[in-house]
Amino acid sequence: MKTKEIVSQRIVVSPESEQAFSYSIKRIRFDENYKPADSTRVTTNFANLARGESRQENLRNALRMVDSRFNALACWDNPKGDRYSLELDIISVDVDIEGKGETFPSIEILKTKVHDHKNNQDIDGIVGNNFSSYVRDYDFSIRLREHNEGAKQFSVPDDFGDLHGKLFRDFLGSSTYKENFSKAPVICLSVSDNKVYQRTENQHPVLGVEYQPNEPSLTEQYFKKMGFAVRYFMPPNSVAPLAFYYFGDLLSDYSNLELIATISTMETFQKIYRPEIYNANAVAGNIYQPNLKNGDHSLTQIVYDREERSQLAVRQGAFAEENFIKPYQSILQQWSQRCAV
């Protein structure tokens, strides 16, 4: 499979930092022939679909769902519901800590591109969408577990997510990001099943009805350290709100087609992986608490092993600890202390 790699010049994190990191990017098309790279987290949404005997059927069905949802939302001047198709590129970002050419898989995100068949035109989409990170696996599956081992009450370390957040913001400020992407990323995730969401009067033509949580989730706090704000919207004809993590102004900085590309992609993934929430047979009410034990839902034609995903997250966290956290601990610690929060 063809990949495109772009390597940046070494960059300085901030005027106060002595340690400079460099980043390289690989692009792989996510289509029915996609095969995960060796460095890809196998629990990542798109990688998980591309496994097993039904891998090609899984991918084909998922992509068909994305296009169908996109055309349903972009219904104007689209009488047959086939005007648009979506192309997805997997963006793999490697970080070089010491500048010696030895890299670690930092994050993986998705880049959308809309093809308008009527005008034979390609329309750039949003980068982000999905979010994959080995260091996040380490934080949630290793560090958080060790911190609470033997404790009577669950707690979170004060600096939980600090390193991950600074590494992510460092990438966003790098020449590599600026040379390849013109807008800030948007990440679209599932809502938390231990929070309650209240429907508001605010409604957007594409994002839909806005909801507000009763309190911040741990994921929300974690992404805040990455620089993200969050808003919750339930798009038209959806059954549950999605969490949109963004910089700037989510409602003004992106076009309708850009937002629709993100919604159609990530809602498809959520219908597959969280059918109890996003493929439920009842629509979220004014007061809504997601329920992963909800039996009143429909399954897609795409099968995956949720238990295996949970087990693999721990192994992936251990991989990050062994190959990134421990080998570069001294450098990362000194750099993190010098970086602004």
Side-chain angles (χ1 to χ4, degrees):
M1 179 161 297
K2 293 182 179 179
T3 63
K4 179 181 180 183
E5 183 170 3
I6 301 154
V7 182
S8 75
Q9 299 295 319
R10 296 189 70 208
I11 59 173
V12 179
V13 174
S14 71
E16 299 176 352
S17 175
E18 296 177 356
Q19 180 63 43
F21 302 150
S22 60
Y23 298 89
S24 59
I25 285 179
K26 294 186 180 76
R27 298 173 184 262
I28 303 177
R29 179 59 49 81
F30 179 64
D31 56 22
E32 64 182 54
N33 298 310
Y34 164 69
K35 293 182 180 179
D38 292 339
S39 60
T40 294
R41 292 168 63 250
V42 290
T43 55
T44 301
N45 288 332
F46 45 78
N48 188 259
L49 292 178
R51 303 176 67 212
E53 296 180 0
S54 302
R55 56 172 302 280
Q56 196 165 53
E57 184 179 359
N58 278 349
L59 293 169
R60 190 178 296 123
N61 287 338
L63 292 167
R64 188 180 297 120
M65 288 172 64
V66 170
D67 283 348
S68 295
R69 183 61 169 136
F70 188 100
N71 283 286
L73 286 169
C75 56
W76 59 92
D77 290 337
N78 189 7
K80 295 183 179 180
D82 60 358
R83 176 172 175 173
Y84 302 101
S85 58
L86 205 58
E87 292 182 0
L88 300 171
D89 279 347
I90 299 165
I91 308 297
S92 301
V93 182
D94 292 341
V95 59
D96 184 345
I97 296 296
E98 296 180 302
K100 298 179 179 179
E102 297 180 1
T103 63
F104 180 80
S106 176
I107 62 171
E108 280 189 319
I109 48 182
L110 286 175
K111 177 70 170 61
T112 60
K113 183 171 70 175
V114 182
H115 183 69
D116 182 345
H117 296 281
K118 178 181 178 181
N119 295 326
N120 193 26
Q121 177 186 9
D122 286 331
I123 303 163
D124 210 24
I126 294 173
V127 66
N129 303 286
N130 193 84
F131 182 78
S132 173
S133 166
Y134 278 111
V135 176
R136 185 175 64 164
D137 283 337
Y138 164 74
D139 279 339
F140 280 89
S141 300
I142 304 296
R143 188 167 183 228
L144 198 58
R145 183 186 61 186
E146 291 177 350
H147 176 78
N148 284 282
E149 192 171 359
K152 295 182 179 180
Q153 187 174 359
F154 177 83
S155 65
V156 178
D158 290 338
D159 63 347
F160 185 70
D162 282 3
L163 174 62
H164 182 269
K166 291 172 182 177
L167 286 168
F168 182 77
R169 285 184 289 161
D170 182 42
F171 169 61
L172 292 191
S174 71
S175 58
T176 300
Y177 188 89
K178 294 173 183 177
E179 289 165 4
N180 288 276
F181 310 112
S182 60
K183 293 186 178 182
V186 174
I187 308 295
C188 183
L189 304 179
S190 170
V191 287
S192 174
D193 64 334
N194 60 6
K195 305 301 175 190
V196 177
Y197 299 84
Q198 174 75 51
R199 183 172 179 147
T200 73
E201 296 298 320
N202 190 37
Q203 187 165 350
H204 184 272
V206 167
L207 291 168
V209 178
E210 185 165 19
Y211 278 75
Q212 291 184 347
N214 61 327
E215 61 180 348
S217 66
L218 183 55
T219 297
E220 189 173 325
Q221 296 170 43
Y222 193 80
F223 272 70
K224 184 176 181 180
K225 292 191 175 182
M226 296 163 65
F228 284 107
V230 64
R231 295 177 75 169
Y232 299 87
F233 287 91
M234 184 168 70
N237 298 317
S238 297
V239 297
L242 292 159
F244 294 87
Y245 290 86
Y246 64 95
F247 293 80
D249 189 333
L250 177 66
L251 276 61
S252 300
D253 292 345
Y254 304 93
S255 70
N256 285 343
L257 291 182
E258 285 177 315
L259 293 172
I260 289 173
T262 289
I263 293 167
S264 57
T265 299
M266 299 313 299
E267 189 178 80
T268 294
F269 284 145
Q270 298 300 352
K271 284 182 177 180
I272 296 167
Y273 296 119
R274 292 286 185 270
E276 299 90 344
I277 298 175
Y278 291 98
N279 223 26
N281 295 325
V283 179
N286 290 333
I287 298 177
Y288 174 65
Q289 180 167 8
N291 180 11
L292 286 172
K293 296 182 179 179
N294 171 33
D296 186 22
H297 68 274
S298 301
L299 296 176
T300 66
Q301 298 300 309
I302 301 167
V303 180
Y304 78 103
D305 190 331
R306 181 181 290 174
E307 183 177 349
E308 181 193 42
R309 290 188 86 209
S310 177
Q311 295 169 351
L312 286 170
V314 177
R315 283 156 52 185
Q316 290 168 171
F319 170 82
E321 182 178 36
E322 181 180 349
N323 293 279
F324 186 71
I325 300 297
K326 287 183 176 179
Y328 300 112
Q329 186 170 18
S330 177
I331 295 173
L332 292 171
Q333 189 173 40
Q334 292 177 27
W335 170 77
S336 182
Q337 290 173 349
R338 291 181 179 272
C339 283
V341 177

